[in-house]
Amino acid sequence: GMTSPVSVSLVTGSCGFIGSWMVETLAQADCTIRATDHPNAWDKDDAIRGLWPSVVRATGATMIPLDLTTCPDEDLDALVDGVDYVYHIAGLFSYSVPLEKLRTANVQITQRLLAALRRRPGPALLRLVQWGAAGVYGIPMDGKPVRESLPHNPPNNYILSKSEAEHLVMQASKEWGLRFTILRPTTVYGPRSVYGGAYMLLTFANAWVAACPSGVEGGRMPFVYVQKVCDAALHLATQPMAINEAYNVNDHTALSANQVIRFVSFLMNSHCVSVPVPLNLMRAVMKAFACISSPLLLALHQKPIVEFDTVDYIGADFVFPMDKLEATGFAYTGPDVLDGIYSTLRWYAEQGMIPRTPRPLPQEGLLPVVSMVDLRTVILGALVVLFLALVLWKWDAQNRNRELEI
């Protein structure tokens, strides 16, 4: 038969963490790539803002600097002209900015992109792969499996904006026959990630001593290595059974927050302290801290240390079965959570973001046993040291007085 022409794939938000990985994934699959991102994203790599234009350049992708919120319709029309697949990743990830800002970045851009695809002459788009979020179902109760068929129940403004964008895509499918696939990744991490889940990994990798609160012992963390997300996107884009369907993407192995903290402490050769704190008390303290610190930090143009809207995720038990994704024939062979965290920390060390290189991974797939110190022992030890210090100080003072008398 006829040889099909090489397909053209458009990646929005291509200089960002996930966008740059998607561009690389497509390049490895020999796709023709059109990469777009905001005009000020292309100057140079910027680890603070999480922009990696050099990665996009290295793939030989066609680079199109464009502000998707303000550019004229003609520019959008040219952007989508002759494209077969769209990987729509561009958006704003934040739990601190106002809803209006989130809607501009996450809903309005999606709306404009859909309008451009609708106006487009020529053959229909083969697939829009829309980046959703696994948070759209809300915060799970008692570890019930979170399946794709569950209704949306957005727990915060960020997730609300992602949910609204998904609804626009579904609506476009009903109104004019758009073929889409929605990807709902959990917390994405990996080399080049500097926000979201990365923030937790960086914090604990930089800590000399890390606390493991007893309250979060059971809750499984929803983490997914970036390569798995991009591999899934590429796979689903060509699967007929994935047309107008949504898929959760999560690491195969789920660790609890404490297991993550212990594992990072093991790799970094730092200390771990178990702290007997009930979950509700911990959340209350963190919410109070967020309320006080966030407005101050935002006023100083700093990132909040604790974002109020994320506190309820802490200690929640997330279970994301992968059977719907796997039923499409998706077979992922890249890093799972242990290798994924390890390779992420290695990258942080190369960037000088953490004090030292992580030690090599232990035996294949086994979570290392970390020597845990109980907080009560630490407090007792500290009191003993304090007591001895006081005794020595008193003794020293007495000796000095004697010397003065002599």
Side-chain angles (χ1 to χ4, degrees), residues 129-138 140 144-152 166 170 181-188 222-225 228-233 235-236 242 245-252 318-328 330 332:
V129 181
Q130 171 77 10
W131 248 249
V136 291
Y137 314 103
K144 275 203 183 76
V146 180
R147 301 208 176 265
E148 288 85 348
S149 52
L150 283 175
H152 285 202
E166 274 196 28
M170 293 174 193
T181 298
I182 290 169
L183 210 55
R184 292 178 184 149
T186 55
T187 306
V188 190
F223 264 7
V224 61
Y225 190 63
K228 187 171 188 177
V229 180
C230 296
D231 285 0
H235 165 82
L236 292 168
E245 292 289 337
Y247 296 87
N248 297 334
V249 201
N250 196 37
D251 275 338
H252 178 70
F318 288 90
V319 181
F320 287 94
M322 287 295 95
D323 33 9
K324 183 173 177 184
L325 177 58
E326 281 156 12
T328 65
F330 178 62
Y332 171 69

Side-chain angles (χ1 to χ4, degrees), residues 161-230:
S161 69
K162 294 299 278 185
S163 172
E164 287 174 355
E166 274 196 28
H167 285 300
L168 286 179
V169 169
M170 293 174 193
Q171 201 179 315
S173 164
K174 287 193 189 81
E175 283 178 16
W176 52 272
L178 167 81
R179 285 185 290 223
F180 71 83
T181 298
I182 290 169
L183 210 55
R184 292 178 184 149
T186 55
T187 306
V188 190
Y189 68 99
R192 298 200 290 275
S193 63
V194 291
Y195 55 75
Y199 189 70
M200 173 184 176
L201 294 178
L202 273 169
T203 304
F204 290 113
N206 275 306
W208 174 72
V209 59
C212 281
S214 57
V216 298
E217 199 55 62
R220 280 161 284 194
M221 294 266 314
F223 264 7
V224 61
Y225 190 63
V226 62
Q227 187 191 327
K228 187 171 188 177
V229 180
C230 296

Side-chain angles (χ1 to χ4, degrees), residues 15 21 90 99 120 146 149 151 158 169-170 175 180 198 227 232 242 251 255 259 309 333 348-349 354 383 406:
C15 293
W21 271 86
L99 181 57
R120 201 174 88 135
V146 180
S149 52
Y158 165 66
V169 169
M170 293 174 193
E175 283 178 16
F180 71 83
Q227 187 191 327
D251 275 338
L255 302 179
Q259 283 176 316
D309 281 351
T333 52
Y348 290 149
I354 56 177
L383 287 171
I406 291 166

Side-chain angles (χ1 to χ4, degrees), residues 189 200-201 216-223 250-264 316-318 336-339 341 365-368:
Y189 68 99
M200 173 184 176
L201 294 178
V216 298
E217 199 55 62
R220 280 161 284 194
M221 294 266 314
F223 264 7
N250 196 37
D251 275 338
H252 178 70
T253 313
L255 302 179
S256 73
N258 281 355
Q259 283 176 316
V260 172
I261 297 166
R262 276 182 214 140
F263 181 54
V264 170
D317 191 17
F318 288 90
D336 192 31
V337 67
L338 299 183
D339 310 304
I341 290 175
L366 286 178
L367 202 58

Side-chain angles (χ1 to χ4, degrees), residues 11 38 46 55-56 71 97 101 106 119 121 142 154 169 208 218 220 254 274-275 283 295 300 327 336 393 398:
V11 179
H38 197 281
D46 183 340
V55 176
V56 182
C71 70
V97 305
K101 237 182 173 168
N106 298 339
R119 289 192 298 269
D142 55 43
V169 169
W208 174 72
R220 280 161 284 194
S274 91
V275 186
R283 282 184 182 160
L300 297 167
D336 192 31
W393 179 70
Q398 279 176 337

Side-chain angles (χ1 to χ4, degrees), residues 263-332:
F263 181 54
V264 170
S265 295
F266 168 82
L267 292 176
M268 296 308 294
N269 223 337
S270 55
H271 306 281
C272 235
V273 177
S274 91
V275 186
V277 183
L279 185 57
N280 288 345
L281 175 65
M282 194 178 130
R283 282 184 182 160
V285 168
M286 287 179 82
K287 279 186 175 172
F289 178 74
C291 285
I292 298 161
S293 67
S294 295
L296 292 171
L297 288 166
L298 288 168
L300 297 167
H301 303 288
Q302 298 281 320
K303 260 190 149 64
I305 300 166
V306 176
E307 296 184 297
F308 188 87
D309 281 351
T310 62
V311 174
D312 284 327
Y313 289 124
I314 295 162
D317 191 17
F318 288 90
V319 181
F320 287 94
M322 287 295 95
D323 33 9
K324 183 173 177 184
L325 177 58
E326 281 156 12
T328 65
F330 178 62
Y332 171 69

Side-chain angles (χ1 to χ4, degrees), residues 84-136:
D84 301 292
Y85 299 96
V86 175
Y87 296 88
H88 180 37
I89 305 173
L92 177 58
F93 175 86
S94 172
Y95 291 98
S96 303
V97 305
L99 181 57
E100 284 323 297
K101 237 182 173 168
L102 289 163
R103 281 200 169 123
T104 302
N106 298 339
V107 188
Q108 208 177 306
I109 288 180
T110 302
Q111 200 160 15
R112 295 199 70 200
L113 191 63
L114 291 169
L117 289 168
R118 187 177 192 171
R119 289 192 298 269
R120 201 174 88 135
L125 185 75
L126 294 177
R127 198 76 55 89
L128 165 68
V129 181
Q130 171 77 10
W131 248 249
V136 291

